[in-house]
Amino acid sequence: MLKKTLILASSSPRRKELLEELQIPIVISSSNVDESFEPSLSPEEIVMYLARKKVEAIYSDDKETFILGADTVVCLDGCILGKPHSREEAFQMLSQLSGKTHSVYTGVAIMANGKCSTFYEKTDVLFWELTEEEIHDYLDTGEPFDKAGAYGIQGVGRILVKEIKGDYFTVVGLPISRTVRELKALGFSMP
């Protein structure tokens, strides 16, 4: 069987690492698309829309190329918490998440042979009650500033999490088990 190429339309080191851990060779081609969306969209629609935009931005009609894009959002009480732009905004987000359950949505789009398959996964995350000191200590790590919801469950941020319901890897940024199944269904040959 002819080896196919998987292009990851993302500069996320976490997504790259998840695929490489499965020995899936990838080529990185960050799409740098405008990530704005209609405010009327639901969280699941947002992540699938943005994931699709990322793959379409680097689409190739090469039949041996598969393009994978993903997007993750954190949603608390119907509000989307994106990546914080400042320490103050990160502090505010973490304060809002303290002691509450929020939902993390990751949308995935896979483009192959001119067709685009999209799906999403949702995982609920409960945070411990956090003190201001705990939040400041976490902010001092520098970890929260490039992550939706201002935390990374795969890093130091794991100490903020009391419980999750759903796929851990959805929170990391790529529901890897479902992604592999979708790739195979589209004809991608695994190592």
Side-chain angles (χ1 to χ4, degrees):
M1 180 181 278
L2 197 59
K3 200 68 169 167
K4 311 248 185 215
T5 301
L6 179 62
I7 297 174
L8 178 60
S10 171
S11 58
S12 164
R14 293 159 296 283
R15 292 182 182 122
K16 176 181 181 280
E17 184 179 300
L18 288 173
L19 292 164
E20 288 177 341
E21 285 174 351
L22 295 178
Q23 300 178 347
I24 299 172
I26 58 171
V27 175
I28 303 292
S29 182
S30 184
S31 54
N32 297 319
V33 298
D34 171 20
E35 293 193 18
S36 59
F37 51 84
E38 284 293 319
S40 62
L41 295 177
S42 67
E44 51 267 41
E45 290 170 325
I46 292 167
V47 293
M48 289 190 298
Y49 168 74
L50 292 175
R52 186 178 182 114
K53 267 181 90 167
K54 291 174 184 180
V55 298
E56 288 175 344
I58 59 171
Y59 174 70
S60 161
D61 61 2
D62 178 354
K63 298 216 181 302
E64 300 309 315
T65 299
F66 284 64
I67 304 168
L68 172 67
D71 196 78
T72 302
V73 299
V74 171
C75 187
L76 175 67
D77 300 328
C79 295
I80 302 293
L81 303 179
K83 295 176 185 175
H85 297 99
S86 67
R87 183 179 177 99
E88 294 75 26
E89 189 177 7
F91 181 88
Q92 186 66 20
M93 284 183 189
L94 294 168
S95 296
Q96 288 177 285
L97 295 173
S98 175
K100 295 182 184 161
T101 298
H102 62 276
S103 298
V104 179
Y105 296 82
T106 294
V108 176
I110 303 168
M111 182 79 76
N113 300 317
K115 295 181 214 150
C116 189
S117 171
T118 59
F119 67 90
Y120 77 93
E121 292 291 329
K122 173 189 168 210
T123 296
D124 292 326
V125 180
L126 172 61
F127 265 26
W128 292 98
E129 285 282 347
L130 306 174
T131 65
E132 285 191 14
E133 181 181 359
E134 288 173 312
I135 294 172
H136 282 297
D137 287 347
Y138 181 55
L139 294 173
D140 289 344
T141 69
E143 186 177 88
F145 302 105
D146 69 338
K147 294 170 181 62
Y151 77 97
I153 196 169
Q154 72 284 354
V156 179
R158 70 186 73 185
I159 66 172
L160 310 175
V161 176
K162 183 174 183 179
E163 179 181 304
I164 71 167
K165 290 184 181 163
D167 181 0
Y168 166 81
F169 295 104
T170 294
V171 185
V172 175
L174 186 64
I176 195 70
S177 180
R178 172 112 184 248
T179 299
V180 166
R181 282 166 173 66
E182 295 288 334
L183 281 166
K184 285 180 179 177
L186 291 169
F188 186 80
S189 53
M190 301 303 288

